[in-house]
Amino acid sequence: MAGPCGTGAPAACWKRHIVWQLRQRDRTQKALFLELVPAYNRLLEKAELLARFSEKLQPEPKDVTPATHQGPWEEESEPDSDQVPSSATLRVKWQEEEEGLRLVCGEMAYQVVEKSAALGALESELEERQSRLAALEARVAQLQEARTQQAQQVDARRAWNAAQRAAYEALRAHARLREAALRKLEEEARDLLERLVQRKARAAAERNLRIERRERAKQARVSQELKKAAESTVSISESASATSLTLSRCMDVVKGLLDFKKRRGHSIGGAPEQRYQSIPVCVAARLPTWAQDVLDAHLSEVNAVRFGPNSSLLATGGADRLIHLWNVVGGRLEANHTLEGAGGSITNVDFDPSGSQILAATYNQAAQLWKVGEAQSKETLSGHTDKVTAAKFKLTRHQAVTGSRDRTVKEWDLSRAYCSRTINVLSYCNDVVCGDHVIISGHNDQKIRFWDSRVPRCIQVIPVQGRVTSLSLSHDQMHLLSCSRDDTLKVIDLRVSNIRQVFSADGFKCGSDWTKAVFSPDRSYALAGSWDGALYIWDVDTGKLESSLRGPHCAAVNAVAWCYSGSRVVSVDQARKVVLWR
């Protein structure tokens, strides 16, 4: 059935269609009742007329006489009895018609009642539907209003997204430009570094060649002089001074040749190169119990700490690219000096055994060397291609080792600031330690590797559970302490190359990939800092937790150091604090 939906809005078309259907049904049912009521009224009128007519036709009692008393006038009326029916017949006929009409009226009245009830039900249904329609119209109005608000919000969000996208594209374009500039600068820096290294290598080679030529010329000249002296005839009467002069000159020549061989790296008799003086070994370390001094030492988190050989000088390095030197005086830390010039965050510091130089690993892909007492860097050891995470002095003079995230470990000749050897490893190197002829490196792939300084190969690998964050070698070089991200410390017996002890404790957890743990100077205890600012100390022989120190630190402890005298401990954390314990 087609509805009156015209060209109006689609949202109102269905409403007009429902109203049109309701009106159509109302007209149809009203037409039925309009026909029924007039018919009923006509029937009532006919019934009333017939009732009046029947009343008029009923005879009066005086008119009813027996037939025996008829007079002559009755005979005259006999001829008309055939034409007009009798009143009794008419009465019966009218009664029958009246009864039929009454039946019809009763049926029609019953139909009227039924139709009225149906009409009432339909009217109530119509009212209910009209109320529902009104509620639906109100709901539609609310939804349309909400839709309008949502559309406005969507438009505003689209405009904001468009602005953000434009800003993002602008930032991406700017970032691409900066990355291109950075790549160009890195290439230039790499080229400059390669040229510098090549130039230093050429200069060193030329210097060695000149020295070798001078020594050979000197040796040839002395040989000629000795040959001439051997060929010449010397009288016995010559003075003893001439003989003494010749012997002295020969001794000088031999001494010069020996010194030349030593400078070339060949010692007489195969003896190793001269080493630093040995560091005094602590007899018995004391457990720290309380914090003597607390300082906000750096501008940002402190990553490294190290005592000097005399236990009275302390070095701390942090993410602010500074190394602060402190004097330990009477249980207090007093500022001594600040070393500047680092190109990135300091990740590790180390004193040479004499205490006159400091080596630091930095995030600018290099290690830097300072002389104690001088503010600016003395040398920069460049050659790594990623962050340098460890830098340690070797036991021999003027040699160091660095480890980096570029998966290399490098040995350095500090007298020439030259890389003498590069070891390619299989994983990020987080820390290194050095023995007599071995380099030990801890890696991100949960392995500790041992490298022989005399041959270019890995001689042993010890797996551990968790990424290695630090290594500490005992003074007797028989035990190695490792800290790893599985929240344990392990003591490795280097004589049999196996794990002797595993330390853990409730609450102890490594706070970063560069958390440092150390032995006590007498190797009786192992010390490490936790993510919650507490210090944990274990007994190496029994494996039991001896003590846990809490208090000044409110952030993760990055590194700890135990002085060589065994009387003090220093800890540093990510909240810039340096704490001296006794």
Side-chain angles (χ1 to χ4, degrees):
M1 179 169 57
C5 182
T7 60
C13 180
W14 62 275
K15 295 190 291 182
R16 288 198 295 271
H17 182 66
I18 291 174
V19 172
W20 179 80
Q21 285 183 341
L22 292 174
R23 288 177 179 172
Q24 191 74 8
R25 187 185 63 180
D26 189 25
R27 283 196 297 270
T28 304
Q29 304 216 355
K30 187 175 181 181
L32 294 175
F33 283 102
L34 289 177
E35 293 176 1
L36 183 61
V37 171
Y40 178 68
N41 291 334
R42 285 195 298 272
L43 286 174
L44 291 177
E45 289 176 359
K46 287 181 181 181
E48 186 179 0
L49 179 62
L50 288 173
R52 286 196 302 269
F53 185 66
S54 63
E55 288 177 358
K56 288 180 182 180
L57 291 178
Q58 286 182 2
E60 295 180 359
K62 64 181 180 178
D63 293 338
V64 180
T65 58
T68 59
H69 294 91
Q70 288 182 357
W73 57 273
E74 293 175 354
E75 297 177 357
E76 295 178 358
S77 60
E78 290 176 1
D80 296 333
S81 61
D82 297 334
Q83 297 178 358
V84 178
S86 65
S87 60
T89 305
L90 290 173
R91 188 179 294 111
V92 172
K93 184 177 181 180
W94 289 342
Q95 287 177 357
E96 292 177 354
E97 291 182 359
E98 184 179 2
E99 188 67 27
L101 289 174
R102 285 178 181 173
L103 292 174
V104 173
C105 288
E107 292 177 359
M108 296 186 72
Y110 180 72
Q111 292 180 3
V112 168
V113 172
E114 288 183 347
K115 295 295 183 182
S116 298
L119 180 61
L122 291 174
E123 286 179 351
S124 62
E125 185 180 357
L126 177 61
E127 291 177 358
E128 182 182 357
R129 291 194 177 186
Q130 285 179 348
S131 62
R132 289 176 58 192
L133 179 60
L136 289 173
E137 288 178 349
R139 178 62 177 167
V140 167
Q142 292 178 359
L143 291 175
Q144 286 180 348
E145 184 178 358
R147 179 180 177 276
T148 303
Q149 293 179 357
Q150 293 291 334
Q152 292 176 356
Q153 292 180 2
V154 167
D155 293 338
R157 183 66 65 181
R158 284 177 178 173
W160 186 81
N161 286 339
Q164 292 293 322
R165 184 178 293 275
Y168 174 70
E169 294 297 335
L171 288 176
R172 283 189 63 187
H174 182 67
R176 285 194 294 269
L177 293 176
R178 302 287 296 196
E179 287 178 356
L182 178 61
R183 284 195 297 272
K184 184 177 179 182
L185 290 175
E186 288 178 348
E187 292 177 357
E188 293 178 356
R190 194 177 298 110
D191 294 339
L192 289 173
L193 180 62
E194 290 178 357
R195 289 201 296 270
L196 178 62
V197 172
Q198 293 174 0
R199 184 174 296 177
K200 285 187 175 182
R202 287 196 300 269
E206 292 175 358
R207 185 169 61 252
N208 291 336
L209 183 61
R210 286 196 300 270
I211 293 173
E212 186 175 0
R213 287 177 177 175
R214 282 201 301 270
E215 294 297 334
R216 287 179 179 176
K218 184 177 180 181
Q219 183 180 4
R221 186 170 60 254
V222 170
S223 299
Q224 291 178 0
E225 290 179 357
L226 289 175
K227 189 176 181 180
K228 289 180 180 179
E231 292 176 354
S232 61
T233 304
V234 180
S235 61
I236 300 175
S237 61
E238 287 181 345
S239 64
S241 61
T243 305
S244 176
L245 179 62
T246 304
L247 293 175
S248 175
R249 189 170 182 179
C250 291
M251 291 297 297
D252 291 339
V253 171
V254 173
K255 184 178 180 181
L257 293 175
L258 294 179
D259 291 340
F260 172 69
K261 287 186 178 181
K262 285 186 178 180
R263 285 194 296 269
R264 291 287 307 275
H266 301 284
S267 57
I268 301 300
E273 189 178 352
Q274 183 180 359
R275 297 184 180 182
Y276 292 114
Q277 296 177 354
S278 61
I279 301 171
V281 178
C282 172
V283 177
R286 290 183 294 179
L287 289 176
T289 56
W290 57 285
Q292 279 188 310
D293 196 9
V294 181
L295 296 175
D296 287 334
H298 288 257
L299 301 177
S300 57
E301 67 175 296
V302 189
N303 297 325
V305 61
R306 189 79 171 182
F307 272 104
N310 57 5
S311 299
S312 62
L313 186 62
L314 179 74
T316 59
D320 56 359
R321 304 183 179 187
L322 297 176
I323 296 177
H324 292 298
L325 299 181
W326 309 87
N327 290 325
V328 183
V329 179
R332 308 285 295 178
L333 294 176
E334 296 181 357
N336 178 300
H337 199 60
T338 299
L339 307 182
E340 302 174 349
S345 299
I346 306 295
T347 58
N348 190 271
V349 294
D350 190 29
F351 281 94
D352 70 344
S354 67
S356 60
Q357 295 184 109
I358 293 178
L359 182 65
T362 65
Y363 270 6
N364 69 333
Q365 305 178 7
Q368 292 183 252
L369 183 67
W370 283 267
K371 188 175 181 180
V372 175
E374 297 179 0
Q376 294 300 321
S377 175
K378 175 183 175 182
E379 293 286 352
T380 299
L381 309 180
S382 302
H384 288 287
T385 59
D386 205 339
K387 299 174 182 179
V388 179
T389 54
K392 298 290 178 64
F393 283 99
K394 294 185 70 175
L395 298 179
T396 54
R397 185 182 298 274
H398 304 310
Q399 287 187 332
V401 176
T402 58
S404 171
R405 297 192 66 181
D406 62 0
R407 297 182 175 88
T408 63
V409 173
K410 291 181 180 291
E411 296 185 63
W412 300 87
D413 183 353
L414 299 181
S415 61
R416 298 185 296 168
Y418 178 70
C419 177
S420 59
R421 179 188 176 192
T422 298
I423 304 172
N424 293 312
V425 296
L426 302 177
S427 178
Y428 296 161
C429 178
N430 290 328
D431 202 5
V432 295
V433 291
C434 303
D436 285 335
H437 298 292
V438 67
I439 298 172
I440 308 172
S441 56
H443 297 273
N444 210 50
D445 62 353
Q446 307 179 10
K447 290 181 175 62
I448 299 174
R449 293 179 170 87
F450 295 75
W451 310 88
D452 195 326
S453 297
R454 297 162 293 185
V455 293
R457 63 184 179 88
C458 179
I459 58 176
Q460 190 175 5
V461 176
I462 297 179
V464 294
Q465 300 296 323
R467 298 190 298 272
V468 180
T469 64
S470 72
L471 299 174
S472 177
L473 187 64
S474 62
H475 287 289
D476 57 9
Q477 299 185 19
M478 294 182 183
H479 296 85
L480 178 70
L481 177 68
S482 71
C483 180
S484 53
R485 287 311 297 269
D486 62 347
D487 304 327
T488 62
L489 275 66
K490 300 176 181 65
V491 176
I492 301 173
D493 191 338
L494 299 181
R495 293 168 295 184
V496 292
S497 300
N498 63 0
I499 297 176
R500 174 184 170 186
Q501 292 279 7
V502 178
F503 304 138
S504 62
D506 294 337
F508 175 72
K509 184 177 180 181
C510 287
S512 64
D513 283 346
W514 51 89
T515 300
K516 298 294 187 290
V518 296
F519 275 126
S520 64
D522 60 351
R523 196 192 55 77
S524 297
Y525 304 103
L527 169 66
S530 178
W531 69 280
D532 57 355
L535 269 64
Y536 291 81
I537 304 174
W538 290 270
D539 189 301
V540 173
D541 294 328
T542 64
K544 295 181 180 180
L545 180 66
E546 287 289 334
S547 174
S548 61
L549 306 176
R550 300 178 184 273
H553 291 295
C554 57
V557 177
N558 282 335
V560 291
W562 208 315
C563 70
Y564 291 98
S565 64
S567 59
R568 291 184 179 90
V569 167
V570 172
S571 57
V572 297
D573 65 14
Q574 296 180 4
R576 307 180 302 164
K577 281 187 173 56
V578 176
V579 180
L580 177 65
W581 303 82
R582 184 176 179 85

